[in-house]
Amino acid sequence: MIRLDNISKQNGHQILFIDASMGVLKGEKVGLVGPNGAGKTTLFRMITGQELPDDGQVAIDAGMTIGYFSQDVGEMSGQSAVAAVMDGVGPVSALAAEMAKLEAAMVDPDQADEMDAIIERYGEVQERFEELDGYALEARAREVLAGLSFSQERMDGDVGLLSGGWKMRVALARILLMRPDGMLLDEPSNHLDLESLIWLEAFLKDYDGALLMTSHDRAFMNRIIGKVVEIDGGSLITYSGDLDFYEQQRALSEKQRQAQFERQQAMLAKEIKFIERFKARASHAAQVQSRVKKLDKIERVEAPRRRQSVQFEFRTPPRSGDDVLNLRNVHKSYGNQSIYAGLDFQVRRKERWCVLGANGAGKSTLLKLAAGTTEPDKGTVTVGASVRMGYFAQHSMDLLDGEETIFESLDGSFPQAGQGALRTLAGCFGFSGDDVEKPCRVLSGGERARLVMAKMLFDPPNLLVLDEPTNHLDMATKEMLVAALADFEGTMLFVSHDRHFLGALSNRVLELTPEGVHSYGGGYTEYVARTGQEAPGLHPNG
């Protein structure tokens, strides 16, 4: 269905692919993996024809439709979210837009003279809209948007007024509504809350076309894909199975290659020693010559490329008192919308609370109240004795000075630390070598998040309040962060849509529902086992 045959591709001085091949068949769900900058997005762009390979060919079945979702969402404004989603399906959306215009014209007294013509045209447009099954399509568009957590109000509002994250969802909904023969999804799990993520997972499991996708969300990938294609040093290597199986296989083949490499190195050393020892002796000339020829013919085994993953080790934070945080009879509203009415919530030392709740339930508000960036309308928020708080929110990333380099930013926060310690810290969070000289203004969302996290954890507080800390992080950084936080000796209160993160780090759950606030002893994994659902408001497998 989709085939790449012996493709080569170079971007500037960087060689991305050399004679690389792969294929995706109808019904296959394939995860594309590789380090940042390996060429995942370039591969998608070659399949869609936006870029051409330097060599080799990309073959796609005749008549096959392909939907491509990328992080680069184009300009959207002047239409509702529903209309923007239907836009992807062709003429139906244009007819829907014309019907809306004609409906407005029918009640406009200034156009009373042209009413007959307007009504006649409306009849023609409506008939064509019905022929194309427009009403069913609109219902389906609304269903997809609802799955991605859109309220009716947001569906009908101007798409231009939405934040970047919500526009991403509109772009994703457009591809899902198309139901093309092949879908290329570049990080579809970014910017989604847990409920939307679980809905999308179910949608993609039922999709019967060819799917090729990237995602930094391990649980999400594992539940959908049955095959992995890895970009590794210019090659495309295919593994059957999910992400966990691929990692086992890759570790095994690296171990075998290392053993093969070491055996060959030992043999080569022995041969070279013989040649060096006897090359001056005429009596051994024939033997030396034959061994030199033999060495020339041997195909060298390459040492496996070492994947750099640096572990970050926490300093021990200062001990806090046993009562870390206390919210008593807290009321909080925004306009007419009451978020909390009489909330009582207590956090004690070493507890790790994850906060679950559908969009608008008040998760971020709770964290802002705890961090003191928002005041309650009524009630009290008390931070305990000797508590030092670190608060990570999406806006923390906007507080970096764009003119400073990564190193200057770290050095400004920790002038006593010394260059070696700061370079090690930068390396743990994915900034190696010359990366530390990049100015903050050119950093991607993921790089900015990693820098803010590094600054927060170098001299760790004893209470971490984290609002979606993994939103922009790649899988390797996430793994490092989970490993580091697992050993953290302080207290945590956090919101995350990453189920691996939730399961690995929480030991308490606070569930926010329309019926009230519920707390569960035991972490996220126990919560799922007890409630039969992965997020509040979802039915088992629903």
Side-chain angles (χ1 to χ4, degrees):
M1 235 179 168
I2 298 172
R3 273 215 61 76
L4 278 72
D5 291 315
N6 301 320
I7 55 156
S8 295
K9 179 74 177 171
Q10 190 164 344
N11 266 354
H13 293 300
Q14 191 188 8
I15 294 170
L16 293 176
F17 300 103
I18 310 163
D19 285 338
S21 301
M22 64 161 281
V24 187
L25 301 172
K26 181 177 165 59
E28 279 191 325
K29 297 183 170 72
V30 182
L32 181 64
V33 301
N36 279 346
K40 297 189 285 287
T41 299
T42 303
L43 188 101
F44 284 143
R45 289 174 64 82
M46 287 193 291
I47 294 172
T48 57
Q50 291 165 282
E51 287 191 37
L52 295 172
D54 301 334
D55 208 0
Q57 63 172 12
V58 178
I60 288 160
D61 284 3
M64 179 178 179
T65 54
I66 288 188
Y68 172 38
F69 169 75
S70 78
Q71 294 295 300
D72 187 15
V73 175
E75 188 41 53
M76 293 184 191
S77 64
Q79 58 184 160
S80 69
V82 171
V85 169
M86 288 166 66
D87 242 5
V89 190
V92 173
S93 60
L95 293 169
E98 192 178 349
M99 273 166 62
K101 248 184 215 158
L102 292 166
E103 283 162 8
M106 283 182 204
V107 294
D108 181 357
D110 294 344
Q111 298 188 51
D113 299 351
E114 299 146 50
M115 198 52 68
D116 290 348
I118 290 168
I119 289 170
E120 187 181 342
R121 177 64 188 150
Y122 185 75
E124 290 165 7
V125 174
Q126 190 180 33
E127 190 179 336
R128 182 78 186 115
F129 186 71
E130 282 176 356
E131 272 172 27
L132 291 173
D133 215 6
Y135 289 112
L137 188 72
E138 183 175 336
R140 269 179 41 221
R142 286 181 184 277
E143 197 182 310
V144 170
L145 284 169
L148 295 175
S149 298
F150 276 73
S151 61
Q152 292 298 328
E153 195 182 342
R154 203 172 244 150
M155 288 180 204
D156 293 317
D158 184 345
V159 73
L161 302 175
L162 296 175
S163 69
W166 286 98
K167 281 181 180 162
M168 288 267 186
R169 296 186 194 209
V170 171
L172 178 59
R174 190 183 275 186
I175 306 291
L176 301 181
L177 184 68
M178 267 172 74
R179 278 210 173 237
D181 302 321
M183 268 199 242
L184 310 178
L185 303 181
D186 195 0
E187 294 296 342
S189 52
N190 272 7
H191 301 287
L192 294 186
D193 54 80
L194 189 53
E195 288 74 12
S196 304
L197 203 58
I198 292 164
W199 177 87
L200 178 60
E201 202 173 89
F203 185 99
L204 293 176
K205 276 184 188 164
D206 285 346
Y207 169 66
D208 56 7
L211 173 66
L212 180 65
M213 67 179 225
T214 65
S215 173
H216 293 324
D217 189 312
R218 177 179 209 91
F220 178 72
M221 277 271 259
N222 258 344
R223 293 168 189 218
I224 295 167
I225 62 170
K227 184 168 152 181
V228 172
V229 171
E230 179 188 35
I231 304 176
D232 184 18
S235 299
L236 289 167
I237 306 163
T238 301
Y239 296 82
S240 61
D242 65 7
L243 215 52
D244 290 344
F245 184 73
Y246 142 76
E247 283 179 348
Q248 289 164 13
Q249 290 301 303
R250 193 189 67 193
L252 193 66
S253 71
E254 277 193 2
K255 204 171 160 187
Q256 287 167 345
R257 223 162 87 198
Q258 182 66 31
Q260 226 179 334
F261 171 74
E262 284 168 6
R263 275 200 305 274
Q264 190 181 63
Q265 288 300 303
M267 182 272 292
L268 291 173
K270 201 170 151 191
E271 293 292 318
I272 289 164
K273 197 174 170 188
F274 179 89
I275 292 165
E276 287 300 316
R277 190 172 162 200
F278 294 109
K279 66 181 176 189
R281 295 192 193 176
S283 58
H284 285 74
Q287 279 172 290
V288 168
Q289 270 319 104
S290 87
R291 291 197 183 200
V292 168
K293 278 181 188 163
K294 181 178 148 190
L295 281 192
D296 284 345
K297 284 182 187 157
I298 286 174
E299 198 173 320
R300 299 290 197 268
V301 175
E302 274 186 49
R305 269 180 294 279
R306 284 272 168 261
R307 283 160 205 281
Q308 282 189 319
S309 66
V310 193
Q311 287 310 312
F312 177 70
E313 285 188 18
F314 269 105
R315 297 179 183 183
T316 305
R319 193 183 192 284
S320 69
D322 286 339
D323 288 330
V324 173
L325 192 65
N326 210 337
L327 282 74
R328 303 283 307 155
N329 192 30
V330 165
H331 290 65
K332 184 70 188 172
S333 299
Y334 291 110
N336 299 329
Q337 194 187 1
S338 168
I339 307 288
Y340 293 112
L343 171 69
D344 289 325
F345 174 50
Q346 188 177 29
V347 177
R348 292 180 63 76
R349 192 171 80 85
K350 289 206 167 185
E351 289 180 340
R352 296 154 169 248
W353 286 89
C354 74
V355 185
L356 301 179
N359 251 331
K363 300 188 293 291
S364 290
T365 302
L366 179 67
L367 268 49
K368 285 175 187 166
L369 287 163
T373 60
T374 289
E375 293 294 320
D377 302 335
K378 187 181 153 194
T380 58
V381 178
T382 314
V383 177
S386 312
V387 170
R388 258 183 59 204
M389 188 187 302
Y391 175 45
F392 177 89
Q394 297 308 304
H395 70 78
S396 324
M397 290 151 46
D398 304 332
L399 305 177
L400 294 170
D401 180 342
E403 296 313 305
E404 285 187 334
T405 65
I406 290 172
F407 188 79
E408 286 166 350
S409 186
L410 291 171
D411 194 37
S413 296
F414 309 109
Q416 311 300 316
Q419 208 178 71
L422 293 183
R423 282 188 176 271
T424 303
L425 172 69
C428 288
F429 283 85
F431 303 113
S432 52
D434 294 342
D435 283 351
V436 294
E437 300 309 328
K438 277 186 187 173
C440 291
R441 67 170 183 279
V442 304
L443 300 183
S444 67
E447 289 170 323
R448 290 211 306 273
R450 297 202 311 258
L451 177 55
V452 170
M453 201 74 76
K455 289 172 82 161
M456 186 167 74
L457 298 181
F458 182 63
D459 183 14
N462 49 30
L463 169 61
L464 289 175
V465 177
L466 308 175
D467 195 354
E468 293 288 5
T470 61
N471 233 1
H472 299 274
L473 301 184
D474 60 39
M475 226 179 265
T477 311
K478 251 189 235 186
E479 294 290 344
M480 182 279 291
L481 190 61
V482 166
L485 290 175
D487 294 333
F488 172 61
E489 289 182 21
T491 307
M492 287 171 68
L493 174 66
F494 64 95
V495 172
S496 174
H497 62 248
D498 188 292
R499 286 162 287 179
H500 177 54
F501 191 86
L502 290 169
L505 296 175
S506 59
N507 60 20
R508 299 278 187 287
V509 174
L510 189 73
E511 180 190 52
L512 310 177
T513 71
E515 293 75 49
V517 175
H518 311 287
S519 59
Y520 295 83
Y524 176 73
T525 310
E526 289 87 341
Y527 165 83
V528 174
R530 277 172 67 181
T531 62
Q533 60 187 22
E534 293 191 293
L538 285 178
H539 301 295
N541 312 319

